[in-house]
Amino acid sequence: MALVVTELTMSLDGYIAYESGHVGPLFDWYGNGDVEVVSGDGKRTFHMSEVSAEHVRRGDKETGAYVIGRKLFDFTQGWGGVSPSGPHVPVFVVTHSQPDGWPRPEANFTIVLDGIESAIAQAREAAGEKVVGVAGPNLVQQCLNLGLLDEVRIDLVPVILGGGIPFFANLKDVPVILDGPTLTEGTGVTHLRYTVDSTRRRSPKRTP
Amino acid sequence: MALVVTELTMSLDGYIAYESGHVGPLFDWYGNGDVEVVSGDGKRTFHMSEVSAEHVRRGDKETGAYVIGRKLFDFTQGWGGVSPSGPHVPVFVVTHSQPDGWPRPEANFTIVLDGIESAIAQAREAAGEKVVGVAGPNLVQQCLNLGLLDEVRIDLVPVILGGGIPFFANLKDVPVILDGPTLTEGTGVTHLRYTVDSTRRRSPKRTP
């Protein structure tokens, strides 16, 4: 059954963006190399190190569904109706109220009104053997609290932001203990993958 | 001239201890292996992974002086009059007022009343070709603000603490951009070394 993972770029002081939502220097690693990577939705072209390109392509390839919260949905205007990994990857939007103009017939998006656990279950079903990507810090925090998250992936950048939106906040039952990391080092970014301790999560383990 | 460095164990959400000063699971990596390391002051024996043992021994060996703030000095009761790297390594204590009972004739400690820059200069002089270790988050923050810090070393542990004392806070001129890291991976800890961007610091570069 699909693993539930999250991945965000984070500063050394634990922030994923300024309060405004803008990322400042956090995403510099998407543009500091010479290996071209086109995003799965075809909308953006990046130039990054070979190691990071490998990392990003692998992530895109293995993602079978996304679950996002309403805040990120609104901030990105519903990702323009296409998931970052392409139109074939379904997106499940957790929200309390139907957004205006949605659902759209051409968009592979499902508006989920009956809660995060329902959204994760639907996304898992859709992802099959692939992984479910959870996006947005609020949603990640809720998933951690509910034991729904299997992996935390951090793209750690050598920047002290000084303030902003924390990756981790409002957690119950802290400290949260993780296993790992497995890591690869890009240019200006360290890609870290942690597994949520099995006592903390309700998801089944990945079958080897 | 001596490089000025700081090293602290930090959680994924950027904390170096609980508000109380206690470290909870942050220091587990000092005890999760079978390689014995005796602290430089001879007071504590740890059992850690080979990689971490190597890292700790290297750090101890290369430290030629410490600068610490009054808060850490009080919390640790002046490290019992001995630096963590041993009695031969001098300690410079930055404070606004002479602590009761200090200086002590047997302790290689200097109470510095005329400010952090003076303390760093004295420590550099004492350290010679070795490095100056700055301990305590408040002091680290001030050093970063004053351009006095050359390296930031983070022992990153796979724990989300949920709150506590942040490594980085109260910084001016954010974002702070660092170079690196060079890293080694221990068990339950990733040892990361970052260089403070040269435009930010006033210290001379290490001569190779």
Side-chain angles (χ1 to χ4, degrees):
Chain A
M1 203 167 153
L3 279 184
V4 181
V5 312
T6 186
E7 175 163 354
L8 284 171
T9 295
M10 188 179 86
S11 69
L12 289 176
D13 47 351
Y15 299 107
I16 57 158
Y18 288 112
E19 288 292 351
S20 65
H22 293 284
V23 293
L26 295 183
F27 280 17
D28 284 358
W29 65 274
Y30 278 97
N32 67 3
D34 52 16
V35 179
E36 186 174 294
V37 175
V38 178
S39 65
D41 58 11
K43 288 180 190 165
R44 289 153 300 165
T45 301
F46 308 112
H47 294 88
M48 57 183 75
S49 70
E50 181 60 52
V51 167
S52 290
E54 179 74 22
H55 176 82
V56 167
R57 286 177 186 141
R58 176 182 162 191
D60 250 7
K61 208 168 157 183
E62 72 182 2
T63 304
Y66 285 94
V67 178
I68 71 173
R70 181 62 184 268
K71 204 166 173 179
L72 183 64
F73 177 84
D74 286 345
F75 185 75
T76 64
Q77 299 180 300
W79 278 339
V82 181
S83 96
S85 300
H88 60 292
V89 178
V91 179
F92 297 84
V93 184
V94 182
T95 177
H96 294 295
S97 62
Q98 195 74 25
D100 286 345
W102 290 82
R104 295 184 191 163
E106 81 289 1
N108 196 357
F109 278 52
T110 303
I111 308 300
V112 180
L113 297 170
D114 59 346
I116 189 167
E117 289 175 286
S118 166
I120 294 286
Q122 292 179 59
R124 270 207 169 123
E125 182 71 29
E129 294 298 304
K130 295 189 165 189
V131 308
V132 172
V134 175
N138 292 336
L139 207 58
V140 169
Q141 290 153 19
Q142 291 178 58
C143 282
L144 271 171
N145 285 336
L146 291 166
L148 294 171
L149 206 65
D150 299 298
E151 280 188 28
V152 175
R153 300 173 181 180
I154 298 172
D155 303 311
L156 189 68
V157 294
V159 169
I160 305 169
L161 211 56
I165 301 171
F167 196 160
F168 306 108
N170 310 311
L171 294 177
K172 295 177 189 166
D173 305 324
V174 285
V176 179
I177 309 293
L178 307 171
D179 293 323
T182 56
L183 66 82
T184 54
E185 202 174 352
T187 302
V189 61
T190 307
H191 305 291
L192 302 152
R193 291 180 170 217
Y194 296 94
T195 309
V196 180
D197 186 277
S198 59
T199 58
R200 173 112 194 160
R201 58 198 157 97
R202 290 189 284 148
S203 312
K205 281 204 161 203
R206 187 206 291 264
T207 40
Chain B
M1 205 168 152
L3 279 184
V4 180
V5 313
T6 187
E7 175 162 354
L8 284 172
T9 294
M10 188 178 85
S11 69
L12 289 177
D13 46 352
Y15 299 107
I16 57 157
Y18 289 112
E19 287 292 351
S20 65
H22 293 285
V23 295
L26 295 182
F27 280 18
D28 285 357
W29 65 274
Y30 278 97
N32 68 3
D34 52 17
V35 180
E36 185 174 295
V37 176
V38 179
S39 65
D41 58 11
K43 288 181 191 165
R44 288 153 301 164
T45 302
F46 307 112
H47 294 87
M48 56 183 75
S49 70
E50 181 60 52
V51 167
S52 290
E54 179 74 23
H55 176 82
V56 167
R57 286 177 186 140
R58 176 182 163 192
D60 250 7
K61 208 168 158 184
E62 73 181 1
T63 304
Y66 285 94
V67 179
I68 72 173
R70 181 61 184 268
K71 203 166 174 179
L72 183 64
F73 178 84
D74 286 344
F75 185 75
T76 63
Q77 298 179 300
W79 279 337
V82 181
S83 96
S85 300
H88 61 292
V89 178
V91 179
F92 296 84
V93 184
V94 183
T95 177
H96 294 296
S97 63
Q98 195 74 28
D100 285 345
W102 289 82
R104 294 185 191 161
E106 82 288 2
N108 197 357
F109 278 52
T110 304
I111 309 298
V112 180
L113 297 170
D114 59 346
I116 189 167
E117 289 174 288
S118 166
I120 294 284
Q122 292 180 61
R124 269 205 170 124
E125 182 70 27
E129 294 298 302
K130 295 189 165 188
V131 308
V132 173
V134 175
N138 292 335
L139 207 57
V140 169
Q141 290 153 20
Q142 290 177 60
C143 283
L144 270 172
N145 285 336
L146 291 165
L148 294 171
L149 206 65
D150 299 299
E151 279 188 29
V152 175
R153 299 172 182 181
I154 299 173
D155 302 312
L156 189 69
V157 294
V159 169
I160 305 169
L161 210 56
I165 301 172
F167 196 159
F168 306 108
N170 310 312
L171 293 177
K172 295 177 188 166
D173 305 324
V174 285
V176 178
I177 309 293
L178 307 171
D179 292 323
T182 57
L183 65 83
T184 54
E185 202 174 351
T187 302
V189 60
T190 307
H191 304 292
L192 301 152
R193 291 181 171 217
Y194 296 94
T195 309
V196 181
D197 186 276
S198 58
T199 58
R200 172 115 194 158
R201 58 200 158 97
R202 291 189 283 149
S203 311
K205 281 203 160 201
R206 187 206 292 263
T207 39

